[in-house]
């Protein structure tokens, strides 16, 4: 279909030249492709007044915002930078007041600028957004002039109906409208979910792609979430939906866009990789293209059709700008901008006005820190203030006291101090016979969304943990379950931390006090868990004995690659994880005797 107009244009040019319209413009137009595009500097220098052959399109992108409108607190709000001398600096970053300033500054002087996101804009959000079902974040993204976003797994946390409401608007079906006389408008940008279909009809849940257009420039965006979304979202969130292979889906729609004459295509993929360094300025193309990155995105990138010109990715909360070869062996840009709005990626796509395609060899990209030493965007400040006033009566209630930072999200260690506190809170709350009789508790590391920070976030005073801060750590309000598991199933669950789907990127469960074992990272797969070292209260685990085990409903459903935990029987449903966490803080701390960060001595790590 798209060949005909181009053919006509070509023959018109030849006819015009043959008719003796020997003006400079006509001669230039009749020249073979590439003969006259040397001096135009990608659309900047116009030479003899003729149109440039190419224009630069600025692609700004970010991912995994998770409703972090205010700057994320503690170490979870830092970005690492490696200096030439090898020293690593932690730079405080993020917050939409600064993200808005960064993006608006970056767009200046770029007539062709498009802003895209790689999913998880909402979900697992701090109280300021989570309390209002993420309406504040969608409103902020509209103000940021986001053009398009892929869905991430967290967009499904509250199910397909709620996702449709975030897209289309309307007040919450249970809680109604939050502001008098104001109806939630929904997202101004399309959410793309090309690989998510409805089970009953087989039709896509949302739009699979969109085409961004300006002055004849057309760029197609295809959005997908990771195929494994059902493994990391509660069963209710993905009810009635099917998730398909990322590569096959993108290739299918790239073909469709190509047939429609859209030759420039960007894939927005909520799946990512692990760079060899956590520093945002790490060169992951050293020694060769894409050598410094591993993880699922590498195979995905290698399988996606060369019709796609760039990949904006996410999910792993890492920072990277890499070139991974496409199936034709040509380098192609694969980027990710950390998380929580701490970075944004600025990619230059050189668009050829004649072929309507991206000149791949000219693609340049870099990550930039959203620093907190730049001016705040006033419209974002007033948005935050407005929602904070509504949240304040709940958010500011003190729950407990701490003597120092207790790191959770910001800790890179297998055993996290805050993970121990949460697991202990769950065990204590569910140990009484009438509450489930729990003997041990497990917490999934991905469910710990922040650190507990000693420094005051508002007027509450240093060391005070508010309800809002506790909610930011545990925003899912998962109901707790206590189940029967055999010792053999317990051992299998610990092995599943480092084997099967979790082998490449281990998910180390946070365990309650009394459970101890050795993790030998010099070994591979399940052998990394030294089975004869596993003890509960000093006694070896008996494979035949039944144990009462506490965990949130997500883990109890076998989520996060733990099928053994999904085999529990004799289930008792308890209070929510957040309620148990707050009860523990209240019981174990006072202003005079605050809770200290616990020792991390339950898992012995051999490296």
């Amino acid at each position: 279909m798209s060949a005909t107009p181009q053919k006509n244009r070509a023959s018109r040019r030849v006819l015009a030249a043959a008719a003796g319209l020997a003006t400079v413009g006509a001669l230039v137009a009749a020249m073979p492709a590439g003969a006259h595009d040397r001096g135009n500097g990608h659309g900047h220098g116009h030479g003899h007044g003729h149109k440039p052959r190419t224009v630069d399109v600025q692609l700004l992108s970010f991912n995994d915002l998770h409703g972090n409108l205010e700057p994320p607190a503690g170490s979870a709000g830092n970005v690492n930078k490696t200096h030439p001398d090898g020293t690593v600096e932690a730079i405080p970053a993020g917050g939409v007041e600064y993200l808005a300033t960064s993006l608006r500054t970056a767009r200046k002087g770029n007539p062709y600028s498009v802003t895209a996101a790689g999913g998880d804009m909402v979900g697992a959000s701090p109280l300021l957004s989570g309390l209002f079902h993420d309406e504040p974040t969608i409103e902020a993204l509209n103000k940021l002039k986001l053009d398009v976003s892929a869905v991430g797994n967290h967009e499904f946390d509250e199910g397909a109906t709620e996702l449709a409401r975030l897209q289309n608007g309307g007040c919450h079906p249970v809680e109604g409208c939050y502001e008098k006389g104001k109806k939630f408008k929904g997202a101004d940008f399309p959410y793309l979910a090309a690989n998510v279909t409805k089970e009953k009809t087989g039709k896509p849940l949302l739009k699979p792609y969109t085409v961004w257009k300006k002055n004849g420039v057309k760029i197609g965006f295809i959005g997908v979430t990771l195929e494994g979304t059902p493994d990391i979202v509660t069963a209710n969130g993905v009810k009635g939906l099917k998730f398909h292979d990322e590569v096959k889906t993108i290739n299918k729609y790239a073909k469709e866009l190509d047939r429609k004459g859209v030759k420039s295509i960007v894939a927005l993929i909520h799946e990512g990789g692990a760079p060899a360094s956590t520093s945002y300025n790490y060169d992951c193309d050293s020694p060769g293209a894409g050598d410094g990155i591993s993880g699922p995105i590498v195979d995905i990138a290698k399988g996606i059709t060369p019709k796609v010109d760039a990949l904006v990715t996410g999910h792993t909360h890492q920072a990277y700008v890499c070139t991974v070869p496409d199936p034709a062996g040509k380098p192609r840009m694969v980027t990710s901008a950390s998380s929580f709005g701490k970075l944004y990626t600025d990619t230059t796509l050189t668009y050829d006005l004649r072929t309507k395609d991206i000149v791949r060899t000219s693609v340049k990209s870099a990550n930039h820190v959203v620093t907190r030493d730049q001016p705040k965007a006033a419209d974002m400040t007033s948005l935050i203030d407005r929602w904070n006033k509504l949240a304040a009566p709940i958010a500011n209630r003190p729950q407990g006291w701490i003597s120092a930072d207790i790191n959770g999200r910001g800790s890179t260690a297998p055993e996290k101090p805050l993970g121990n506190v949460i697991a202990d809170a769950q065990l204590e709350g569910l140990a009484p016979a009438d509450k489930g009789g729990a003997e041990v508790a497990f917490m999934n590391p991905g469910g710990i969304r922040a650190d507990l920070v000693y420094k005051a976030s508002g007027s509450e005073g240093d060391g005070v943990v508010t309800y809002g801060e506790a909610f930011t750590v545990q925003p899912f309000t998962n109901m707790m379950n206590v189940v029967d598991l055999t010792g053999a199933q317990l051992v299998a669950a610990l092995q599943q931390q480092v084997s099967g789907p979790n082998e490449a990127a281990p998910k180390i469960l946070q365990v309650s006090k009394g459970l101890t074992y050795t993790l030998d990272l010099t070994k591979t797969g399940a052998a990394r868990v030294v089975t004869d070292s596993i003890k509960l209260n000093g006694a070896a685990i008996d494979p035949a004995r039944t144990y009462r085990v506490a965990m949130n409903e997500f883990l109890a459903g076998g989520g996060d690659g733990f099928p053994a935990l999904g085999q529990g029987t004799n289930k008792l449903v308890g209070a929510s994880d957040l309620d148990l966490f707050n009860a523990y803080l209240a019981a174990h701390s006072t202003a005079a005797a605050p809770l200290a960060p616990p020792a991390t001595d339950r898992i012995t790590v051999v490296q």
Side-chain angles (χ1 to χ4, degrees):
M1 272 165 62
S2 63
T4 325
Q6 284 178 337
K7 206 164 127 191
N8 287 347
R9 273 201 296 277
S11 46
R12 276 204 296 273
R13 280 203 300 271
V14 175
L15 285 171
L21 297 172
T23 60
V24 172
L27 282 171
V28 167
M31 280 182 190
H36 69 283
D37 64 351
R38 285 189 195 91
N40 70 15
H42 301 320
H44 302 307
H46 288 211
H48 300 289
H50 65 265
K51 270 189 169 178
R53 168 72 187 263
T54 60
V55 294
D56 281 351
V57 177
Q58 178 189 53
L59 171 62
L60 299 175
S61 56
F62 58 98
N63 51 278
D64 295 274
L65 180 65
H66 291 288
N68 278 265
L69 301 180
E70 294 175 295
S75 53
N78 291 338
V79 166
N80 287 342
K81 178 181 184 174
T82 301
H83 291 284
D85 64 359
T87 57
V88 178
E89 178 191 2
I91 305 166
V96 291
E97 294 159 298
Y98 304 112
L99 180 60
T101 301
S102 288
L103 295 178
R104 288 164 187 171
T105 305
R107 287 176 191 141
K108 280 177 188 159
N110 288 286
Y112 294 88
S113 185
V114 56
T115 305
D120 276 8
M121 294 295 98
V122 300
S125 306
L127 188 86
L128 175 62
S129 187
L131 189 63
F132 307 106
H133 295 275
D134 282 312
E135 288 181 24
T137 296
I138 298 294
E139 190 186 326
L141 292 170
N142 289 344
K143 285 182 190 291
L144 277 179
K145 298 277 186 276
L146 182 63
D147 290 294
V148 57
S149 179
V151 293
N153 52 289
H154 283 281
E155 264 83 12
F156 293 94
D157 282 348
E158 294 187 47
T161 309
E162 176 62 4
L163 174 54
R165 186 182 79 88
L166 290 180
Q167 177 71 85
N168 303 319
C171 296
H172 193 270
V174 178
E175 290 166 33
C177 300
Y178 294 112
E179 294 178 287
K180 212 175 173 181
K182 268 193 182 179
K183 189 181 165 194
F184 174 58
K185 290 191 178 119
D188 290 345
F189 55 92
Y191 257 126
L192 305 179
N195 65 331
V196 186
T197 56
K198 297 173 189 170
E199 261 174 10
K200 276 185 182 162
T201 63
K203 291 199 166 117
L205 175 70
L206 295 168
K207 281 171 74 164
Y209 60 78
T210 190
V211 181
W212 179 85
K213 298 173 186 168
K214 186 167 182 184
N215 298 342
V217 171
K218 287 194 291 192
I219 298 179
F221 287 89
I222 302 167
V224 297
T225 185
L226 69 154
E227 187 184 3
T229 291
D231 304 328
I232 51 174
V233 173
T234 56
N236 278 342
V238 293
K239 210 173 175 182
L241 302 175
K242 273 190 96 163
F243 292 77
H244 304 272
D245 182 87
E246 305 94 339
V247 175
K248 285 179 187 162
T249 304
I250 291 167
N251 289 352
K252 170 185 157 184
Y253 287 113
K255 213 170 175 180
E256 192 172 307
L257 281 165
D258 187 58
R259 278 203 308 271
K260 290 182 171 181
V262 179
K263 307 292 179 189
S264 299
I265 303 170
V266 174
L268 308 175
I269 308 171
H270 192 71
E271 178 59 291
S277 160
T278 58
S279 289
Y280 87 92
N281 60 335
Y282 164 69
D283 178 8
C284 75
D285 283 342
S286 172
D291 282 348
I293 187 168
S294 58
I297 200 62
V298 178
D299 287 338
I300 290 172
K302 286 178 177 171
I304 289 173
T305 170
K307 290 184 201 301
V308 174
D309 298 296
L311 276 53
V312 170
T313 74
H315 188 56
T316 56
H317 291 205
Q318 301 298 311
Y320 48 84
V321 173
C322 307
T323 50
V324 178
D326 69 14
K330 295 204 172 82
R332 177 169 54 194
M333 203 58 81
V334 179
T335 67
S336 172
S338 183
S339 65
F340 300 172
K342 294 181 287 191
L343 295 178
Y344 71 93
T345 314
D346 190 337
T347 304
T348 302
L349 301 172
T350 301
Y351 184 93
D352 188 314
L353 292 162
R354 190 175 304 166
T355 64
K356 303 197 177 317
D357 208 346
I358 301 300
V359 183
R360 201 87 84 63
T361 50
S362 303
V363 176
K364 290 179 194 69
S365 189
N367 274 327
H368 301 277
V369 181
V370 177
T371 58
R372 298 184 198 166
D373 56 4
Q374 57 185 323
K376 294 178 178 182
D379 58 337
M380 293 299 178
T381 305
S382 63
L383 179 148
I384 288 167
D385 289 349
R386 206 178 87 235
W387 288 102
N388 260 334
K389 277 195 188 83
L390 286 174
I394 295 170
N396 297 341
R397 284 203 309 257
Q399 301 298 313
W401 289 263
I402 55 173
S403 63
D405 288 0
I406 306 180
N407 282 351
R409 192 81 198 178
S411 166
T412 53
E415 182 184 347
K416 304 168 196 309
L418 190 50
N420 288 358
V421 173
I422 291 168
D424 287 353
Q426 295 176 353
L427 177 63
E428 185 170 293
L430 300 170
D434 62 335
K435 302 286 187 207
E439 298 167 83
V440 63
F442 290 134
M443 174 64 193
N444 55 311
I448 307 167
R449 304 305 300 186
D451 302 334
L452 276 187
V453 179
Y454 177 77
K455 193 175 183 303
S457 59
S459 57
E460 76 275 13
D462 290 349
V464 178
V465 180
T466 64
Y467 183 88
E469 288 164 342
F471 181 98
T472 298
V473 167
Q474 294 227 270
F476 297 108
T477 321
N478 264 314
M479 300 315 289
M480 291 301 300
N481 290 183
V482 186
V483 298
D484 282 352
L485 285 172
T486 64
Q489 287 168 325
L490 268 187
V491 172
L494 292 175
Q495 290 172 330
Q496 284 161 4
Q497 301 176 111
V498 288
S499 62
N502 293 331
E503 179 156 7
K507 288 196 177 90
I508 306 303
L509 294 165
Q510 306 299 289
V511 299
S512 55
K513 63 171 182 267
L515 187 74
T516 55
Y517 70 96
T518 297
L519 191 63
D520 187 348
L521 296 178
T522 64
K523 296 194 163 74
T524 56
R528 290 167 174 166
V529 173
V530 181
T531 45
D532 58 9
S533 72
I534 307 169
K535 292 185 168 66
L536 183 59
N537 302 321
I541 294 286
D542 176 354
R545 198 198 127 188
T546 296
Y547 295 84
R548 291 292 283 162
V549 184
M551 63 194 113
N552 59 45
E553 61 190 334
F554 169 61
L555 276 180
D560 259 356
F562 290 100
L565 295 180
Q567 294 165 359
T569 56
N570 194 18
K571 179 167 81 174
L572 186 138
V573 178
S576 77
D577 51 8
L578 180 60
D579 286 347
L580 292 181
F581 184 46
N582 283 329
Y584 186 86
L585 290 171
H588 291 270
S589 68
T590 62
L595 182 70
T600 49
D601 53 6
R602 300 169 190 183
I603 306 170
T604 304
V605 182
V606 179
Q607 279 177 315

